[in-house]
Amino acid sequence: MRLLVTGGAGFIGSNFVRHWAREHPNDHVVVYDALTYAGNRASLAGFEGLDFVHADICDFETVDRTLREQRIDVVVHFAAESHNSRATLDPGLFFRTNVIGTQTLLEAARRNEVRRFHHISTCEVYGEMALDAPDPFKEDSPYRPRTPYSASKAGADHAVRAYAETFGLPVTITNCANNYGPYQFPEKLVALCATRALDDRPLPLYSSLGNKREWLHVSDHCKAIEAVLLKGRIGDTYLVGSGVEATIEEMADLVLDAAGKPATLKEIVKDRPGHDTRYLLDSAKLRTELGWAPEIPLRLGIAETVAWFGANRSWWEPLLEKASVDEHAWANGGTGPVVR
Ligand SMILES: NC(=O)c1ccc[n+]([C@@H]2O[C@H](COP(=O)([O-])OP(=O)(O)OC[C@H]3O[C@@H](n4cnc5c(N)ncnc54)[C@H](O)[C@@H]3O)[C@@H](O)[C@H]2O)c1
């Protein structure tokens, strides 16, 4: 099989490339990535010989030529602007990349008759749920995005379904819970806390410390995508979650515990606008129909992740100056944070 992995130099994409190369050594993988601040060739260390197209997914001619010349069978689409805080500061960029970029890929995939277009999406398209809500989101829950990031991902999901319905493009979609693990940019909660803790610097935590997320190790996410690519039903959506929830503060405590650092490093900062309370997915369909189950318990996964950041300073230290948002600065009415 010949795969095009968009966003393959990002956090989940690079973990997926690593996973696929290990499990399917005879397949040909092409990475397509614009190398924004979040993309990093160093995340693909050991894969220097890989076919790498350094280009924007909004560039139709390059996408079209790549699909044709590389004779791509399957597109696995991770590329996106992915940081909610950044979306609050530069929403237009998110709609451009996540909606127009996805539609550009879909159009090229249609013209080149790819056998499968797999789209990576998020739990956040369903909006927030109350802390005491009894029922998790299901595949057919209504879309109620509340932030420019989640709205742009929702727009992308709709574009994918429109290409399936209108043009018969063979698509699948996965909507996943919050990921953590190696190669995550040190702007997202676990990577931010791990790198701060290792440097004995304060961990900036939003004041709604009790807001909950469902946490999944990135390798379990990669296995879920693999299951859908190999066994998933064309046209279907699968929710990918661990069922394991933890609050922002509980996650910070797990990281501090793993790093052997004191609770006094926790520093409360003002919430960013539109900070969702909670997301939780019902992943029963993926589990029962495709036999997937998460394998890495949260405490162990966090301990391994903190250890990975401890052992890989040369990977993340150069990224600190690229971080686009200062999470301390929401107190200035949203005008203070930096965006590069
Ligand atoms: N991180 C999570 O917890 C999570 C959870 C659910 C779903 N997702 C989704 O998974 C996907 C990957 O997320 P991630 O955390 O790895 O993101 P990331 O920000 O780490 O990586 C994104 C990658 O996309 C590339 N990219 C950005 N704009 C591009 C463009 N215009 N053209 C080509 N490449 C471009 C970047 O260079 C980077 O390599 C995203 O679609 C995201 O919405 C993420």
Side-chain angles (χ1 to χ4, degrees), residues 54-252:
H54 180 190
D56 193 323
I57 53 169
C58 297
D59 172 358
F60 177 79
E61 276 171 20
T62 305
V63 174
D64 185 51
R65 190 174 59 245
T66 303
L67 292 180
R68 191 172 58 251
E69 290 181 356
Q70 289 282 357
R71 293 176 287 111
I72 296 297
D73 305 303
V74 173
V75 175
V76 190
H77 176 34
F78 295 91
E81 287 292 342
S82 69
H83 189 34
N84 248 316
S85 300
R86 185 176 171 82
T88 311
L89 302 171
D90 191 359
L93 177 63
F94 281 67
F95 287 96
R96 176 192 174 276
T97 295
N98 298 356
V99 183
I100 302 298
T102 299
Q103 187 272 330
T104 305
L105 283 171
L106 288 163
E107 183 59 27
R110 168 173 93 94
R111 293 195 197 182
N112 286 278
E113 299 179 347
V114 301
R115 277 176 26 212
R116 176 80 74 90
F117 187 101
H118 182 70
H119 175 61
I120 316 297
S121 190
T122 165
C123 56
E124 300 188 29
V125 298
Y126 297 111
E128 65 175 0
M129 58 167 52
L131 286 173
D132 59 353
D135 298 321
F137 295 127
K138 297 188 186 313
E139 279 81 2
D140 60 358
S141 293
Y143 273 35
R144 293 197 176 103
R146 297 178 66 248
T147 72
Y149 166 65
S150 51
S152 66
K153 291 296 292 185
D157 293 11
H158 292 321
V160 173
R161 294 197 179 97
Y163 267 74
E165 295 289 342
T166 309
F167 304 114
L169 189 70
V171 308
T172 39
I173 300 178
T174 41
N175 294 76
C176 190
N178 273 48
N179 284 214
Y180 66 90
Y183 299 103
Q184 188 164 33
F185 194 91
E187 63 186 356
K188 309 278 169 52
L189 184 70
V190 171
L192 178 69
C193 290
T195 53
R196 291 292 185 106
L198 288 166
D199 276 351
D200 297 300
R201 294 174 65 206
L203 279 47
L205 305 177
Y206 289 148
S207 51
S208 5
L209 287 172
N211 281 4
K212 283 183 183 172
R213 299 290 181 262
E214 178 184 16
W215 297 96
L216 186 72
H217 193 280
V218 66
S219 75
D220 282 326
H221 186 186
C222 292
K223 288 177 188 166
I225 297 166
E226 179 183 35
V228 172
L229 284 173
L230 298 179
K231 299 181 277 185
R233 215 174 312 127
I234 298 294
D236 271 22
T237 293
Y238 298 85
L239 303 188
V240 187
S242 61
V244 177
E245 294 185 276
T247 66
I248 309 292
E249 184 164 28
E250 287 165 345
M251 292 302 282

